[in-house]
Amino acid sequence: MTSTDDDARLLDPRALDPAELAAWERLSDHAATPNAFLDPAFVVPAATHLPGGDRARLLVAADGPRWRAVAVVVPGRPWRKVPLPALGTWSNDQQALATPLLDASDPAAAAQALVGAVRRTAPRARLLGLDEQAGTGPAAEALGSALSGAGWRHTRWRSTTRAALVRDQADEQTLAGVLAEPSRLRSKRRRLEREAGSLQVTDCSAPADADRGADVLLALEEGGWKGRAGTAMTQRPGEAAMLRELTRAAAVRGSLRLLLLEAGGAPVAAQLDLVAGDTWFHFKTAFDESRSATSPGRLLLTEVLRRFDAEGLVQFDACTVAEHPVMDRLLPHRRTIVESAATRGALATAVTRAARGARDVRDRRAAAAARAAGPAS
């Protein structure tokens, strides 16, 4: 199919009709590279409650009622302060991946349709800013080829890696090692049971239980270091409301994985994750810091990984920062996440690469200053 002007849509995710929402859900369920953070269960609550969400728009390439590709963008906003007319993907503090949804039946055609939609909805844009993109996989390959084929030039802005477990890259021994509970953790489990009572994992993933699970997680987070620092979700604009709405919507979608670890009937840890396609995305965790010596969060993570394995999913994405003290030691693989800019025209490319060069200089100077200052006393 050749795209026409009618195939490009720029929609407010908070104001979709039922047919549009259903088309989005179908695409999310069959995306070439799964992304729970572009599922409507995540995007609609985020756009509704988080600061700046009112400016987020769905860039849709559609074939009549069938949606072929979706990205979440912010029209009319500069990207990374580069002085060019730009269209950038929407990034928020709760999101861990912004890779567009491309129809898995033909990712190449879907990517071409999305690039065409960029041209039609933002004809003046000379820069397409791509935040939090999967560095490899079907969507990355298809989108890169479509942009190159349409004359856009690629500039990588930043790249990082984060911990992951990929089933088809792990032999049986490696997988068993990840899923096993080491002896030191078994000792902590016994200690926690002695101090607080028998342990039980409670699944709050169903719609009837999602509110309780969300409330427990928010309370545990507020009672810990984030609460003392003023950065808990209950203390930041819109975040608690976003989380509650997300858990309800994801529970209805069947994509919520919300587990509590309880000791003697009292919650000591909570983990909220999301599933899309063949991928389990870690999202939020919190634990009772008065029990930190017994590692309740790590004990719950063991159960989470076992459930990931039992579901037969392919990838567990930790969605953490690089060199995470727990996930990087536990999970054997790495997922590359990139920020990049696609530009149209030699001048736009030169401006973007000059801006990246200036950024690199600033980063090196800041790193040198930090080394010279030495460790904080």
Side-chain angles (χ1 to χ4, degrees):
M1 172 200 164
T2 301
S3 295
T4 67
D5 287 345
D6 294 335
D7 298 322
R9 307 173 189 175
L10 207 55
L11 304 175
D12 186 338
R14 305 165 301 169
L16 302 180
D17 63 37
E20 291 169 331
L21 186 61
W24 186 5
E25 290 177 343
R26 285 193 295 270
L27 175 60
S28 182
D29 289 339
H30 300 92
T33 296
N35 186 357
F37 300 99
L38 252 67
D39 188 88
F42 181 91
V43 175
V44 173
T48 301
H49 296 288
L50 297 184
D54 59 329
R55 300 182 61 189
R57 294 294 181 267
L58 299 182
L59 176 63
V60 180
D63 177 3
R66 174 186 169 216
W67 288 16
R68 307 170 71 197
V70 166
V72 183
V73 299
V74 182
R77 186 179 69 179
W79 187 82
R80 297 292 186 271
K81 299 182 180 179
V82 179
L84 291 170
L87 181 68
T89 51
W90 185 46
S91 183
N92 60 74
D93 289 344
Q94 302 304 317
Q95 179 178 281
L97 192 67
T99 295
L101 304 177
L102 303 179
D103 186 351
S105 65
D106 193 345
Q112 290 169 7
L114 186 64
V115 172
V118 171
R119 176 178 54 80
R120 289 189 294 277
T121 59
R124 295 184 61 252
R126 291 295 176 266
L127 185 155
L128 175 63
L130 299 167
D131 298 303
E132 296 177 306
Q133 302 289 302
T136 59
E141 295 169 8
L143 187 57
S145 295
L147 287 166
S148 297
W152 294 77
R153 302 182 185 184
H154 176 262
T155 299
R156 180 167 291 200
W157 196 262
R158 279 193 177 92
S159 177
T160 188
T161 60
R162 65 192 188 205
L165 173 63
V166 184
R167 185 183 298 275
D168 56 11
Q169 295 179 15
D171 57 34
E172 291 185 8
Q173 183 176 0
T174 299
L175 183 59
V178 171
L179 301 176
E181 190 171 84
S183 59
R184 61 175 179 78
L185 207 54
R186 291 196 297 271
S187 297
K188 291 186 175 186
R189 177 183 292 276
R190 291 191 293 269
R191 176 181 170 182
L192 181 56
E193 288 181 322
R194 288 195 305 270
E195 294 177 352
S198 62
L199 299 186
Q200 176 182 343
V201 175
T202 301
D203 193 334
C204 293
S205 304
D209 305 310
D211 280 351
R212 183 201 171 214
D215 288 343
V216 168
L217 187 148
L218 289 168
L220 286 171
E221 184 187 69
E222 187 176 7
W225 69 267
K226 287 188 176 180
R228 294 190 296 275
T231 59
M233 295 188 79
T234 54
Q235 299 166 317
R236 290 164 62 90
E239 291 188 359
M242 177 261 181
L243 185 86
R244 291 190 174 98
E245 187 174 323
L246 162 64
T247 56
R248 293 168 191 153
V252 171
R253 289 274 284 141
S255 59
L256 181 67
R257 302 295 185 271
L258 178 48
L259 301 180
L260 309 180
L261 179 65
E262 297 177 302
V268 293
Q271 183 161 327
L272 192 167
D273 298 337
L274 302 167
V275 169
D278 62 8
T279 304
W280 183 303
F281 295 88
H282 173 48
F283 181 47
K284 290 287 179 182
T285 188
F287 62 92
D288 181 351
E289 292 186 9
S290 71
R291 303 288 183 185
S292 60
T294 59
S295 301
R298 179 64 180 85
L299 289 169
L300 183 55
L301 179 58
T302 297
E303 178 63 25
V304 167
L305 289 167
R306 288 173 179 167
R307 295 196 181 204
F308 156 80
D309 182 54
E311 289 193 33
L313 298 171
V314 173
Q315 181 168 222
F316 183 95
D317 185 345
C319 298
T320 52
V321 297
E323 301 181 4
H324 188 273
V326 174
M327 292 296 193
D328 273 36
R329 288 200 305 266
L330 178 63
L331 303 181
H333 306 125
R334 298 294 176 265
R335 189 174 200 184
T336 300
I337 303 297
V338 300
E339 299 176 13
S340 62
T343 45
R344 288 195 292 172
L347 179 59
T349 301
V351 169
T352 301
R353 292 180 178 174
R356 184 194 61 184
R359 192 281 327 271
D360 291 343
V361 170
R362 290 193 299 271
D363 286 353
R364 287 195 295 270
R365 287 176 176 170
R371 288 194 299 271
S377 58

